[in-house]
Amino acid sequence: MSSVRPTNAAPTGLKPLVFLLCLLPLGLLIWRGFEAGLGANPVETLEHATGDWALRLLLLTLCATPLRQLSGWSWPLRLRRMLGLYTFFYASVHMALYFTLDLELDFYMLGNEVLKRPYLSVGFLAWALLIPLALTSTDRMIRRLGRRWKSLHRSVYVISVLAVLHYLWLVKADVREPLLYGAILIVLLGWRAWRERRDRKGGRRSQAVRTV
């Protein structure tokens, strides 16, 4: 019997490995904290690092479908839910650090800052829009929502644009990194738009052939 693994099968141990790799940035931050290695402004370091990883994982989540389409492998889609939940996790830690360490749990100040500062407005909105996606990520909710689940989770594209804008407006000097993330996002959104347009054209051709 052949021992060749089917191309659609995930490599053995991949999901546990990805799970641990997603936890690694947080673990390194905690270790740096104990070693006094967070620099002159530890709060800012923690906030920026968790925000950066939320955005990186969000972009990795968006890569799952193009990777499946380009490679023919289905296993990248099996990692998408985990990456999406870790995106929400790091975004929530990022938000919690800002609310507790910067604002000292002051809800009035939070509302005032969100309304006054555009980069906080879009960042807060991106985080808020992630909440229903995280809450509906279970198999039970997918079955319960049916077609509405896919429509709801399309908001991830809006969230990704808001997240990149949040980072771009936050940075005051060197904008190379947020611009890089923006370029990656443009490529991913452009790929999706091209695929959907091609699929619609293909569907119309098929319909025309059937009606001849």
Side-chain angles (χ1 to χ4, degrees), residues 43-146:
V43 173
E44 184 178 273
T45 299
L46 289 170
E47 289 175 355
H48 287 182
T50 51
D52 288 347
W53 278 106
L55 180 53
R56 290 165 187 161
L57 289 166
L58 177 59
L59 293 176
L60 281 175
T61 304
L62 295 179
C63 286
T65 297
L67 181 58
R68 190 263 299 171
Q69 292 168 339
L70 289 168
S71 66
W73 301 330
S74 63
W75 59 261
L77 298 183
R78 300 171 194 168
L79 301 176
R80 184 170 57 185
R81 185 188 314 187
M82 184 192 302
L83 293 173
L85 288 172
Y86 265 114
T87 297
F88 177 67
F89 169 72
Y90 277 99
S92 297
V93 173
H94 176 67
M95 180 69 186
L97 288 170
Y98 174 71
F99 184 48
T100 56
L101 300 181
D102 275 350
L103 303 185
E104 298 179 346
L105 303 176
D106 189 328
F107 283 96
Y108 175 81
M109 188 179 295
L110 174 64
N112 188 53
E113 289 291 294
V114 167
L115 292 174
K116 184 171 65 175
R117 304 181 190 277
Y119 78 90
L120 286 177
S121 301
V122 297
F124 184 83
L125 180 58
W127 173 75
L129 290 174
L130 280 172
I131 296 174
L133 303 193
L135 292 177
T136 58
S137 63
T138 63
D139 291 336
R140 180 180 179 183
M141 289 303 299
I142 294 172
R143 291 192 298 268
R144 183 175 179 179
L145 292 175

Side-chain angles (χ1 to χ4, degrees), residues 109-182:
M109 188 179 295
L110 174 64
N112 188 53
E113 289 291 294
V114 167
L115 292 174
K116 184 171 65 175
R117 304 181 190 277
Y119 78 90
L120 286 177
S121 301
V122 297
F124 184 83
L125 180 58
W127 173 75
L129 290 174
L130 280 172
I131 296 174
L133 303 193
L135 292 177
T136 58
S137 63
T138 63
D139 291 336
R140 180 180 179 183
M141 289 303 299
I142 294 172
R143 291 192 298 268
R144 183 175 179 179
L145 292 175
R147 293 182 179 178
R148 291 176 295 170
W149 184 89
K150 189 172 183 179
S151 299
L152 173 64
H153 280 250
R154 282 178 180 268
S155 65
V156 70
Y157 299 104
V158 175
I159 293 168
S160 60
V161 172
L162 293 173
V164 170
L165 282 177
H166 169 69
Y167 191 11
L168 183 61
W169 289 347
L170 171 66
V171 175
K172 296 181 177 64
D174 189 351
V175 297
R176 287 176 295 179
E177 190 168 353
L179 287 178
L180 173 61
Y181 293 142

